Amino acid sequence: MSAFLKAIPKVSLHVHLMGSVQARTAVDLCTKHGVALPDFDEPDDLYDYPDIYKFLHMYDNTALGVIDHEDFARICYETLSEAAAHNVRYREMFFNPTTHMAAGASYETCVDGLIDGINAARTDHGIECRLIAAVNRMESPELAVEMVETLLDEPRDEVIGIGMDYAEADFPPERFWKAYAMAEDAGLHLTAHQSEDAPPRNIETCLDLLGCERVDHGYHVIESVPIMTRCRDEGVVFTCTPVSTAWVYFGDDFASHPIRTMKDFGLKIMLDCDDPPMFQTDPTRDYVIAAEHMGFTVEDFRQCMLNGIDGTWLDEPTKRQMRRMWTGEFDALAAQID
Ligand SMILES: [Zn+2]
């Protein structure tokens, strides 16, 4: 089953650039730029933290070591190369412009370095990637507006939407209505992390006020049958990440993770790995956990693949072609395990 889950073609809609930096690379880059790191014996010990706030501190600290064009190109290339090894063919990846700008990198250095990494990964591994500029919801709404202004002043074909991440509980989505309205007016796509650690009404705010086309996480949706029913009827795609969120919210108890209820209710969920090295996971491991602990069958993974394609911001002819080719490939692999 693991080999099958590794081999099936994958879309990736929920991975964060900084969360995907390998520990050894973080050590290299922080050393290069003289950024202090916590004491560690092995680089992997760096990524060991008791709660989400310590995790976010590590995330921001590592960003202080990513400054030059080559640094951005390197971390982007490395995560896409790893993804390609797990048969991820297409990714829409979050990055936080305001985090990097606060660390001393200009937006142009950051985004153009990432684009170089994307181009190199396409050449070497055939993987395609687009970027989602994510609002840090723990910062001010005014900074989010400035971030969108920066995107509009420095447009790049690869940057196709905005998202919203960092800790949710005390930072509700309505604070960012203006940044989202500006992004929507400019033709950017919209998504947001919601109801990961807050009530399900954040999902309705995200859909109705911010105009989001999909929802990242969304686990607390299971607390409201009306909202869950609405999301099912409207075909809202949820990008769910089993490993990173079980650790934070469900005491590593994968079996009681809401993803299973969401799937069984008929919500349109796809699976991804969020911050792979920082949570000791990878694009296949999150699928394996879903198979072993959340009752996912071969047919469920087929549906997840199709949901992922539906959830992308690719044009409809491209999606049609992906559905046709990928289902053929999926079914041939599934026949082998039968
Ligand atoms: Zn996330």
Side-chain angles (χ1 to χ4, degrees):
M1 192 67 170
S2 297
F4 167 72
L5 293 174
K6 186 170 184 183
I8 56 178
K10 297 175 189 70
V11 154
S12 166
L13 301 179
H14 193 150
V15 164
H16 304 263
L17 173 74
M18 280 314 300
S20 72
V21 176
Q22 296 291 338
R24 279 166 205 287
T25 303
V27 172
D28 274 4
L29 294 177
C30 287
T31 306
K32 171 182 168 186
H33 293 290
V35 175
L37 286 165
D39 282 339
F40 60 89
D41 295 324
E42 288 293 321
D44 287 340
D45 297 344
L46 270 184
Y47 291 167
D48 188 13
Y49 14 69
D51 61 52
I52 188 169
Y53 298 96
K54 294 268 173 16
F55 160 73
L56 288 171
H57 176 76
M58 184 69 223
Y59 189 97
D60 287 341
N61 193 70
T62 305
L64 297 173
V66 185
I67 301 296
D68 301 334
H69 182 100
E70 313 80 78
D71 304 340
F72 287 101
R74 174 179 172 180
I75 61 175
C76 185
Y77 179 81
E78 287 182 356
T79 183
L80 293 178
S81 303
E82 196 221 9
H86 290 270
N87 280 299
V88 174
R89 308 272 172 84
Y90 176 75
R91 171 174 284 176
E92 290 169 5
M93 179 162 64
F94 298 107
F95 74 117
N96 293 101
T98 58
T99 301
H100 297 299
M101 289 162 78
S106 71
Y107 178 70
E108 297 89 323
T109 299
C110 165
V111 76
D112 291 333
L114 296 178
I115 291 168
D116 272 3
I118 290 172
N119 291 336
R122 183 191 306 112
T123 302
D124 291 353
H125 305 294
I127 185 171
E128 193 56 74
C129 180
R130 299 284 182 274
L131 298 168
I132 307 169
V135 168
N136 175 349
R137 69 194 314 155
M138 296 169 81
E139 295 173 334
S140 71
E142 291 75 22
L143 192 64
V145 167
E146 272 179 43
M147 184 196 86
V148 174
E149 286 170 349
T150 303
L151 302 183
L152 302 185
D153 286 344
E154 296 285 343
R156 299 289 186 277
D157 289 345
E158 289 79 0
V159 180
I160 59 172
I162 69 166
M164 183 188 304
D165 56 11
Y166 280 75
E168 178 183 16
D170 298 324
F171 303 94
E174 54 270 24
R175 301 171 74 233
F176 300 99
W177 67 271
K178 194 171 181 184
Y180 272 73
M182 286 169 59
E184 184 174 27
D185 285 346
L188 289 167
H189 291 284
L190 309 170
T191 187
H193 286 45
Q194 301 302 344
S195 301
E196 176 188 17
D197 186 23
R201 69 177 168 78
N202 278 9
I203 290 176
E204 291 210 299
T205 306
C206 164
L207 297 174
D208 297 333
L209 179 68
L210 303 185
C212 290
E213 298 151 85
R214 60 188 191 228
V215 175
D216 305 310
H217 297 303
Y219 312 121
H220 288 272
V221 73
I222 66 168
E223 292 159 17
S224 165
V225 173
I227 297 177
M228 201 157 51
T229 304
R230 172 197 170 172
C231 289
R232 183 185 61 196
D233 295 349
E234 292 180 9
V236 175
V237 172
F238 289 80
T239 71
C240 299
T241 67
V243 173
S244 65
T245 52
W247 170 82
V248 179
Y249 304 113
F250 307 104
D252 264 339
D253 178 9
F254 294 117
S256 64
H257 198 299
I259 289 174
R260 182 177 201 145
T261 308
M262 293 165 75
K263 168 180 74 75
D264 292 344
F265 191 80
L267 293 182
K268 226 169 163 180
I269 65 169
M270 61 83 64
L271 300 175
D272 209 347
C273 54
D274 213 0
D275 305 290
M278 290 194 172
F279 290 106
Q280 290 88 47
T281 187
D282 60 49
T284 302
R285 179 157 186 262
D286 276 82
Y287 283 45
V288 171
I289 293 290
E292 288 179 351
H293 302 280
M294 298 173 179
F296 275 63
T297 63
V298 169
E299 184 51 37
D300 291 329
F301 287 112
R302 193 178 194 272
Q303 191 58 51
C304 277
M305 179 184 78
L306 293 170
N307 295 343
I309 294 171
D310 287 354
T312 67
W313 294 330
L314 293 164
D315 59 54
E316 201 45 51
T318 306
K319 290 186 188 186
R320 257 201 310 277
Q321 188 184 24
M322 282 167 85
R323 284 186 202 104
R324 193 171 58 242
M325 292 176 63
W326 290 24
T327 48
E329 201 175 325
F330 186 102
D331 293 343
L333 287 162
Q336 287 173 24
I337 57 166
D338 283 347

